[in-house]
Amino acid sequence: MQKDIGSPTSTPRLRHRRRSNEIPQEINKSNGDHLLINDQNKYKSMWIRTLSSFWMLGSFVFALYMGHLYIWAMVVVIQIFMASELFNLLRRAHENKRLPGFRLLNWHFFFTAMLFVYGRIISQRLVNTVTSDNIFYRLVGGFVKYHMAICYFLYIAGFVWFILTLKKKMYKYQFGQYAWTHMILFVVFAQSAFTVANIFEGIFWFLLPASLIAVNDVAAYFFGFFFGKTPLIKLSPKKTWEGFIGASVATMISAFVLANIMGQFQWLTCPRKDLSTGWLDCNPGPLYKPEPYPLPEWLPHWVPWKEISILPVQWHALWLGLFASIIAPFGGFFASGFKRAFKVKDFGDSIPGHGGFTDRMDCQMVMAVFAYIYHQSFVAPNDSSIEMIMNQILGSLTLEEQRDLYMKLGQILQERLRLSS
């Protein structure tokens, strides 16, 4: 029996508008057609990209000038933008209309993860900042002691909330969004936590890796812009071998030079042990003290220098530069493949000429993890100093218990002094 065309069982064909960040059809052309050297609108694109870069650079310099807490706040703002862009990547307007409050649930999990990750990082610094005379003394003491429990019950509240919002015929979409949300939290926080840890170890260990990624990105763009002819990888059609090699050389040179410049400022090299914003004064340590190196004898006699001063940290910077040149770009390649899988050109349009914040942070996150691991493995001292032992002891105590410990130690010290006299 022939089916009636006008029967109610037939479903109309839906037409979807292409999103602004969706890849156009011509993306499937050969790689050579997409090289910057063949792009007809490349000068307009370069101008927009340059203006946006100066705007980002100005904001970045302001945060650096203000100090550790402001840099941390900048990282949090970037994380919020990244999460928003990634949440929107798989969101469907039709399904979301049938699930009121589902977007709010995503952000509930986001801020719960933020409280958990950053609470663990700043708890000891928060204790060092708040004194017993402060109005927030008991509040901070309770937060430090019950931080894990607070985060756990907040997550459980979100879990129960999710179960109660499940709707028939929407299960697959809802569980997909639930899994997608947790993957976003892992991508954003698991790596950004290392960024914040680098900041408090000393702005140097945040600024230098971030600067090297920026130098590599800018150098690759301009080398590819003027000399690029050989495609590098199909995932990123505009990337060229000329840009990759030129950027690698520029990044290695910049790493050695920038480490020498940054290593001379205590504001950048001193670690922050509390959450204050005051000026830092510390012993820079041997890493930031110049050592003389004699120049080779085969240099011409008209060279006025017989030796040069090099900071030991500059040798460490070369390893950071090597990673930023060779490995970190694969974070960008991964992001390019990810966008192609979802058929979008950019993760967002928050930054004109650059796409979204996620487009700018793909390599930065990979670099931040390496910088932290390298610092802890090859730079941070291995000896268990009195300060490290005290921090471990104090980290497991409440503020009241710490005060009692200090008073007890003071009494013991006074008794020892009395006996010795």
Side-chain angles (χ1 to χ4, degrees):
M1 180 177 180
Q2 191 174 9
K3 185 181 291 187
D4 187 2
I5 297 178
S7 63
T9 59
S10 62
T11 56
R13 183 178 181 182
L14 298 178
R15 298 181 63 186
H16 299 279
R17 293 182 59 187
R18 192 180 73 186
R19 288 178 290 181
S20 59
N21 62 339
E22 187 173 347
I23 295 180
Q25 293 181 355
E26 57 268 18
I27 197 69
N28 293 323
K29 291 183 179 180
S30 62
N31 289 344
D33 295 337
H34 291 274
L35 299 179
L36 283 172
I37 200 169
N38 298 324
D39 195 340
Q40 300 298 322
N41 297 320
K42 64 178 182 179
Y43 289 104
K44 179 181 178 180
S45 175
M46 183 182 70
W47 178 246
I48 296 175
R49 190 183 180 99
T50 302
L51 292 178
S52 299
S53 299
F54 277 113
W55 173 81
M56 289 190 293
L57 180 62
S59 303
F60 187 70
V61 171
F62 174 77
L64 288 177
Y65 175 78
M66 297 303 294
H68 301 69
L69 290 183
Y70 289 86
I71 302 174
W72 178 28
M74 178 186 68
V75 172
V76 170
V77 171
I78 292 174
Q79 285 181 322
I80 293 174
F81 274 99
M82 289 177 60
S84 178
E85 293 167 359
L86 293 172
F87 282 150
N88 291 330
L89 195 61
L90 285 186
R91 188 169 287 148
R92 301 174 189 169
H94 176 69
E95 283 80 354
N96 281 342
K97 289 180 180 179
R98 299 176 57 187
L99 299 170
F102 197 76
R103 181 177 298 186
L104 184 61
L105 179 61
N106 290 339
W107 289 109
H108 170 82
F109 284 120
F110 176 84
F111 286 107
T112 299
M114 179 181 291
L115 180 65
F116 175 76
V117 171
Y118 292 147
R120 293 174 61 87
I121 295 176
I122 70 170
S123 58
Q124 183 57 47
R125 293 176 175 86
L126 195 59
V127 169
N128 294 338
T129 305
V130 179
T131 63
S132 58
D133 298 327
N134 198 298
I135 191 174
F136 298 111
Y137 175 77
R138 294 187 179 276
L139 181 62
V140 170
F143 171 77
V144 172
K145 183 175 182 179
Y146 302 110
H147 167 252
M148 294 281 287
I150 292 172
C151 295
Y152 175 75
F153 284 110
L154 283 174
Y155 179 83
I156 290 299
F159 175 75
V160 173
W161 182 358
F162 169 74
I163 297 299
L164 295 177
T165 58
L166 289 174
K167 287 188 176 182
K168 193 175 182 180
K169 298 183 179 181
M170 300 287 293
Y171 295 153
K172 185 176 181 180
Y173 174 75
Q174 287 181 279
F175 277 101
Q177 287 291 311
Y178 186 80
W180 178 241
T181 299
H182 283 70
M183 196 199 81
I184 292 173
L185 298 181
F186 174 78
V187 170
V188 173
F189 284 106
Q191 302 189 55
S192 298
F194 292 101
T195 303
V196 176
N198 290 337
I199 294 171
F200 286 105
E201 290 291 345
I203 298 178
F204 178 94
W205 295 102
F206 161 77
L207 179 59
L208 180 62
S211 300
L212 295 181
I213 292 297
V215 168
N216 186 265
D217 187 41
V218 172
Y221 180 80
F222 280 101
F223 274 101
F225 185 88
F226 292 106
F227 309 107
K229 294 181 180 298
T230 311
L232 175 63
I233 188 170
K234 291 183 178 180
L235 287 174
S236 296
K238 293 185 179 181
K239 297 291 192 301
T240 62
W241 275 106
E242 291 80 3
F244 183 79
I245 296 173
S248 299
V249 175
T251 303
M252 293 294 292
I253 297 174
S254 299
F256 197 76
V257 174
L258 290 176
N260 184 280
I261 297 173
M262 296 178 187
Q264 301 180 26
F265 297 94
Q266 286 193 9
W267 182 247
L268 301 179
T269 59
C270 291
R272 173 68 74 180
K273 300 297 184 181
D274 53 27
L275 297 181
S276 63
T277 57
W279 183 255
L280 288 171
D281 185 15
C282 68
N283 181 10
L287 276 179
Y288 306 103
K289 294 180 180 179
E291 297 179 353
Y293 285 85
L295 293 177
E297 297 181 356
W298 49 263
L299 286 177
H301 295 289
W302 51 263
V303 176
W305 304 286
K306 299 301 180 183
E307 63 179 22
I308 57 174
S309 296
I310 298 178
L311 303 180
V313 75
Q314 290 180 256
W315 304 117
H316 293 289
L318 290 178
W319 290 105
L320 296 178
L322 184 64
F323 186 90
S325 303
I326 308 300
I327 306 300
F330 281 85
F333 301 152
F334 176 86
S336 297
F338 196 85
K339 288 183 286 188
R340 282 178 170 271
F342 289 93
K343 298 181 180 180
V344 294
K345 182 180 179 182
D346 297 309
F347 285 104
D349 54 1
S350 306
I351 311 174
H354 292 267
F357 278 90
T358 310
D359 296 283
R360 293 296 90 206
M361 293 297 113
D362 45 16
C363 299
Q364 291 285 3
M365 291 190 296
V366 176
M367 188 68 193
V369 177
F370 174 76
Y372 178 82
I373 294 175
Y374 184 88
H375 178 270
Q376 295 299 315
S377 301
F378 303 105
V379 179
N382 295 324
D383 58 326
S384 298
S385 62
I386 296 177
E387 182 181 3
M388 293 175 60
I389 295 174
M390 289 298 296
N391 286 335
Q392 292 178 359
I393 295 175
L394 296 178
S396 61
L397 301 177
T398 65
L399 291 177
E400 294 182 356
E401 292 171 339
Q402 291 181 32
R403 183 179 60 181
D404 295 339
L405 176 62
Y406 282 126
M407 293 177 63
K408 187 65 175 178
L409 290 174
Q411 293 173 1
I412 295 174
L413 180 60
Q414 291 178 359
E415 183 68 20
R416 292 287 180 88
L417 291 176
R418 185 183 64 82
L419 294 175
S420 62
S421 61

